[in-house]
């Protein structure tokens, strides 16, 4: 059982749901990223998803892509991010998963990259540009090092392919709530609940919903039908204010927003009894 498997096993046992917080590595710098990861963990976030900056957008909207561009312009390197992880993961109460382009994995070699992740305390990988048909080699290596390979299902994924993705995934299944790129949305698709309910009937893998989630009320609604929610652009937009508001103000504003999302999650059986 991987670290992420254990996290969701404990959540299900108590009726609680996960909040996954996306953080772009190195924006505005790695020191801020380190402080933010520790703050998110202390606030009670279930998982932190750390994005490795990449020059070509995969499914990233303008907010996340701008954060990556700023980090790359400052000369951030993958090895520096691994060094950060080695420092910070032992101090976190929540696991960290990396979101990265397959090009970065391939360049270092599958086993070399995954082994480095394991050494630095990473619990799983999300590789959005790796199709399920080509994912088995990386999945096999991840399994050797007890890392989860989390794969994505979108609203336009045909049912038979969605089932294959679920079968090939580990840790949890990342269900993309909207078509298109990341970014905050005022409304989410009306048919989302029905599609997630169908998928749940066909897999025991935890399902977390991401893309477009930006408000506490959305978290409350979606947590009723999923095992967790993933929030990215709404956090990154607040992180981006480090230059205009100052680092400490941006950090506190981001953490305060996260606390409002955590408060919106169903509290589970344990909390209701106390």
């Amino acid at each position: 059982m991987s670290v992420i498997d254990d996290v969701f096993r404990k959540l299900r046992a108590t009726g609680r749901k996960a909040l996954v917080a996306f953080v772009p590595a190195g924006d505005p710098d790695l020191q801020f990223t380190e402080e933010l990861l520790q703050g998110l963990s202390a606030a009670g976030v279930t998982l932190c998803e750390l994005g490795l900056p990449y020059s070509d957008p995969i499914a990233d909207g303008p907010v996340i892509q701008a954060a990556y561009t700023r980090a790359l312009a400052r000369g951030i390197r993958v090895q520096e991010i691994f060094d950060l992880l080695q420092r910070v993961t032992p101090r976190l109460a929540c696991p960290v998963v990396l979101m990265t382009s397959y090009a970065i994995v391939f360049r270092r070699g599958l086993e070399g990259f995954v082994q480095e992740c394991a050494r630095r305390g990473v619990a799983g990988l999300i590789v959005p540009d790796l199709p399920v048909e080509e994912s088995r080699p990386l999945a096999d290596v991840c399994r050797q090092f007890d890392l989860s390979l989390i794969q994505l299902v979108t609203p336009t994924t045909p049912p038979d392919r969605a089932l294959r993705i679920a079968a090939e995934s580990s840790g949890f299944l990342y269900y993309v709530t909207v078509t298109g790129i990341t970014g905050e949305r005022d409304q989410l698709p009306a048919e989302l609940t029905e599609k997630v309910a169908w998928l749940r009937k066909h897999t025991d893998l935890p399902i977390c919903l991401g893309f477009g989630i930006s408000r506490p009320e959305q978290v409350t609604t979606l947590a009723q039908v999923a095992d967790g929610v993933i929030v990215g652009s709404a956090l990154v937009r607040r992180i981006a204010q480090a230059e205009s508001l100052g680092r400490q103000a941006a950090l506190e504003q981001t953490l305060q927003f996260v606390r409002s999302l955590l408060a919106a999650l169903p509290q589970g059986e344990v909390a209701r009894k106390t």
Side-chain angles (χ1 to χ4, degrees):
M1 180 176 289
S2 72
V3 171
I4 296 175
D5 292 334
D6 191 51
V7 165
F8 281 99
R9 179 185 61 79
K10 291 176 179 176
L11 289 176
R12 283 179 166 179
T14 55
R16 292 177 294 137
K17 302 300 176 76
L19 180 66
V20 182
F22 173 85
V23 176
D27 185 40
D29 54 44
L30 285 174
Q31 179 61 37
F32 186 94
T33 301
E34 184 171 351
E35 293 174 10
L36 179 57
L37 288 173
Q38 293 180 90
L40 291 170
S41 174
V45 163
T46 313
L47 295 167
C48 285
E49 178 188 338
L50 186 66
L52 271 64
Y54 187 63
S55 57
D56 297 326
I58 301 168
D60 301 310
V63 173
I64 293 177
Q65 188 58 31
Y68 282 172
T69 299
R70 289 190 294 269
L72 290 170
R74 294 184 176 97
I76 192 170
R77 296 291 182 265
V78 173
Q79 191 58 49
E80 293 176 306
I81 298 171
F82 278 132
D83 293 343
L84 160 69
L85 287 164
Q86 184 169 8
R87 292 194 304 273
V88 74
T89 53
R91 302 199 296 270
L92 302 181
C94 62
V96 174
V97 299
L98 288 186
M99 175 173 273
T100 182
S101 166
Y102 186 68
I104 296 175
V105 179
F106 184 80
R107 189 178 307 127
R108 285 187 166 233
L110 273 60
E111 184 167 345
F113 186 89
V114 173
Q115 185 175 32
E116 187 83 350
C117 287
R119 288 180 54 233
R120 310 297 178 144
V122 174
L125 295 177
I126 303 173
V127 190
D129 55 350
L130 178 63
V132 65
E133 293 83 2
E134 300 173 18
S135 66
R136 182 63 62 84
L138 181 57
D140 288 344
V141 176
C142 285
R143 196 174 298 110
Q144 292 175 28
F145 291 93
D146 293 326
L147 264 69
S148 298
L149 182 59
I150 299 145
Q151 302 197 52
L152 288 78
V153 171
T154 75
T156 58
T157 302
D160 58 342
R161 193 164 190 270
L163 296 181
R164 178 174 180 181
I165 293 170
E168 296 287 343
S169 297
S170 56
F172 66 88
L173 192 62
Y174 192 132
Y175 192 97
V176 176
T177 61
V178 295
T179 56
I181 57 177
T182 60
E184 300 170 72
R185 306 291 203 280
D186 291 328
Q187 293 184 326
L188 296 171
E191 68 275 11
L192 177 62
T193 298
E194 180 180 339
K195 289 188 174 183
V196 173
W198 175 86
L199 188 58
R200 185 178 291 284
K201 291 178 182 177
H202 293 85
T203 180
D204 292 329
L205 203 63
I207 300 172
C208 292
L209 309 183
F211 284 41
I213 302 168
S214 60
R215 301 198 303 268
E217 56 267 31
Q218 292 173 328
V219 168
T220 300
T221 299
L222 295 177
Q224 304 296 328
V225 298
D227 295 279
V229 294
I230 304 164
V231 180
S233 293
L235 268 67
V236 178
R237 181 167 56 81
R238 289 166 171 82
I239 294 168
Q241 297 186 59
E243 292 186 2
S244 59
L245 295 180
R247 296 166 60 93
Q248 193 58 40
L251 179 65
E252 182 50 42
Q253 179 177 268
T254 304
L255 293 175
Q256 183 59 41
F257 173 65
V258 167
R259 287 189 280 267
S260 74
L261 300 180
L262 287 165
L265 285 173
Q267 296 302 302
E269 296 173 0
V270 171
R272 285 199 296 268
K273 291 176 183 177
T274 57

